[in-house]
């Protein structure tokens, strides 16, 4: 992602010359790329003493153990697949005690890995809620 932002900034700078505005735009794109790179280091699903912390690209959500019924591996649907379910990628989906389902798009991975992650999370859920 940072490579894409850097490439765009250099294309813009090359097309319009070296004015202050173009330089600021280029620096802005590079800053966005760096921020995206840093955020990608912490995106994921984490088990804590009090519950599950879901860290996505734009927000962090805390779920108490008492709110969570189970987790499942489901086909990914999101930006990478243009909203269509795909069998090539999977993600974790958490089912809450009220029956609602929370897809965790930040957990996108290979189907086998998603199944293992969901199984491990289910083991922790059982241990914490029993």
């Amino acid at each position: 992602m940072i490579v894409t932002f850097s490439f765009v900034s250099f294309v813009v700078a090359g097309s319009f010359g070296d004015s202050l505005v173009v330089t600021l735009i280029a620096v802005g794109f590079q800053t966005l790329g760096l921020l995206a790179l840093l955020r990608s280091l912490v995106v994921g699903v984490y088990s804590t003493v009090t519950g599950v912390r879901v860290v996505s690209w734009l927000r962090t959500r805390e779920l108490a153990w008492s709110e969570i019924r189970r987790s499942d591996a489901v086909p990914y649907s999101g930006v990478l697949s243009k909203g269509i379910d795909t069998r090539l990628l999977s993600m974790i989906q958490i089912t809450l005690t009220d029956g609602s389902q929370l897809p965790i798009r930040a957990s996108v991975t290979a189907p086998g890995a998603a199944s293992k992650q969901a199984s491990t999370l289910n083991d922790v859920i059982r241990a914490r809620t029993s």
Side-chain angles (χ1 to χ4, degrees), residues 60-126:
T60 299
R61 183 171 178 180
E62 298 274 345
L63 300 169
W65 291 117
S66 60
E67 295 179 83
I68 303 169
R69 180 179 299 155
R70 63 174 289 106
S71 68
D72 298 291
V74 297
Y76 174 80
S77 66
V79 175
L80 298 177
S81 67
K82 299 181 182 175
I84 300 169
D85 286 357
T86 176
R87 301 284 180 212
L88 299 174
L89 299 170
S90 291
M91 63 182 175
I92 294 173
Q93 179 172 278
I94 295 175
T95 303
L96 303 177
T97 54
D98 67 2
S100 62
Q101 296 175 331
L102 178 65
I104 311 298
R105 290 183 177 85
S107 67
V108 63
T109 187
S115 293
K116 289 178 186 176
Q117 291 170 356
S119 176
T120 300
L121 186 54
N122 279 329
D123 292 342
V124 175
I125 291 167
R126 275 191 294 280

Side-chain angles (χ1 to χ4, degrees), residues 5 9 21-35:
F5 285 123
S9 66
V21 172
V22 172
T23 302
L24 290 175
I25 291 171
V27 168
F29 274 114
Q30 290 177 345
T31 302
L32 285 174
L34 181 60
L35 291 174

